[in-house]
Amino acid sequence: MKIELIRHATLLMEYAGIRLLVDPMLSEAGAMAPIQNSPQPRNNPLVPLPRPVEQILDGVQAVLVTHTHRDHWDAAAEGVLKRDLKLFCQPEDLERMKTAGFSDASAVADESRLGGISITRTPAQHGTGEIGRAMAPSSGYVLKSAKEPTLYITGDTIWYEEVEATIVKHRPAVIVANAGGARFLEGDPITMTAEDVIRTARAAPQALLVAVHMEAINHCLVTRQELADAARAADVRVVVPGDGATAVDTDGN
């Protein structure tokens, strides 16, 4: 398994011999309007891609989308991805993918297969109260293969009982958690805060925890340094990669 953080929640992965792109947000820096009703109204993305789109997409065999908010599936990605790519999404997003012309798109209702990989959709709670209901639906995924450690991609969620239940059920060896403490001017955070990431790490002491989803979108307020400092103070191990960095390489240890 090899996981590279491209930017925000966009991951480039090698898993069981398949090159996967997760949650592609491929816009140039500043090309999208700010997330409204947020404390720092700046155009998105806040930072550029670490390398050209053509290089990122080279060799990609399948795409995995947790949900279609524009920081996980933007117009740039929809425009540039090949229409015959194998694409997996949550059931609520399948019609959009088909309408956009992705002929090999399929919904992960419970579990799907991609070669020797099983992909299980997991619950996610993208905030609390009315905001959480407005932000829904969102999903996570667990990937398993006889050739690889089990991987849990949380998607956009706060820490809640279903995240803990997913960890207990699947015992992932690697967890990619969407952090950043994204929020609006009103209401609670809609993605994991530093405290949520620490709870996740403590619930899964067997796992390598990788925190992403920071410093690229204007409503994500928790910085990489703040999260790293909080994890260190809590005495939990959290990998906080920079854009373009390899976060996990089980072959290379």
Side-chain angles (χ1 to χ4, degrees):
M1 181 198 313
K2 184 175 181 179
I3 302 176
E4 176 188 350
L5 172 63
I6 298 299
R7 179 183 62 186
H8 196 53
T10 304
L11 309 174
L12 190 59
M13 298 174 25
E14 301 281 349
Y15 193 87
I18 294 177
R19 193 166 178 83
L20 280 161
L21 182 66
V22 180
D23 280 358
M25 178 183 66
L26 302 178
S27 292
E28 296 292 334
M32 297 190 292
I35 303 293
Q36 294 300 307
N37 192 31
S38 64
Q40 46 182 19
R42 299 166 56 196
N43 278 8
N44 292 310
L46 304 179
V47 294
L49 290 165
R51 60 181 187 273
V53 170
E54 295 77 13
Q55 293 181 18
I56 294 168
L57 298 184
D58 185 32
V60 167
Q61 297 165 275
V63 180
L64 185 62
V65 180
T66 62
H67 65 306
T68 54
H69 290 166
R70 61 189 169 105
D71 59 325
H72 294 256
W73 176 261
D74 63 356
E78 188 169 306
V80 75
L81 288 170
K82 294 179 180 178
R83 289 318 195 246
D84 60 352
L85 265 178
K86 185 68 178 174
L87 188 151
F88 294 92
C89 62
Q90 56 184 358
E92 294 87 349
D93 295 331
L94 182 59
E95 183 177 354
R96 172 173 175 171
M97 300 305 187
K98 292 288 190 181
T99 300
F102 291 96
S103 58
D104 204 5
S106 59
V108 184
D110 295 302
E111 181 180 335
S112 296
R113 302 287 306 185
L114 174 63
I117 305 170
S118 71
I119 304 171
T120 301
R121 187 165 62 94
T122 61
Q125 184 175 319
H126 200 354
T128 59
E130 290 185 11
I131 291 176
R133 287 187 288 273
M135 299 297 287
S138 179
S139 297
Y141 297 103
V142 169
L143 277 61
K144 293 183 179 181
S145 169
K147 301 178 180 179
E148 297 282 11
T150 297
L151 168 64
Y152 173 27
I153 300 169
T154 68
D156 275 6
T157 186
I158 57 174
W159 168 262
Y160 77 126
E161 63 272 10
E162 292 294 345
V163 173
E164 184 173 23
T166 297
I167 291 170
V168 170
K169 179 177 180 179
H170 295 282
R171 289 192 58 79
V174 178
I175 300 173
V176 178
N178 287 1
R183 66 186 308 155
F184 303 102
L185 291 173
E186 300 85 22
D188 298 324
I190 61 173
T191 63
M192 287 196 186
T193 61
E195 292 77 14
D196 287 346
V197 172
I198 290 166
R199 290 187 187 101
T200 304
R202 287 175 172 160
Q206 80 285 351
L208 173 63
L209 180 56
V210 179
V212 299
H213 201 271
M214 287 173 283
E215 300 183 358
I217 295 292
N218 71 290
H219 70 331
C220 292
L221 305 184
V222 178
T223 68
R224 289 182 170 105
Q225 189 62 58
E226 289 168 345
L227 177 55
D229 290 346
R232 190 178 304 109
D235 196 25
V236 297
R237 184 188 177 198
V238 179
V239 176
V240 187
D243 296 340
T246 297
V248 178
D249 188 349
T250 58
D251 294 332
N253 298 315

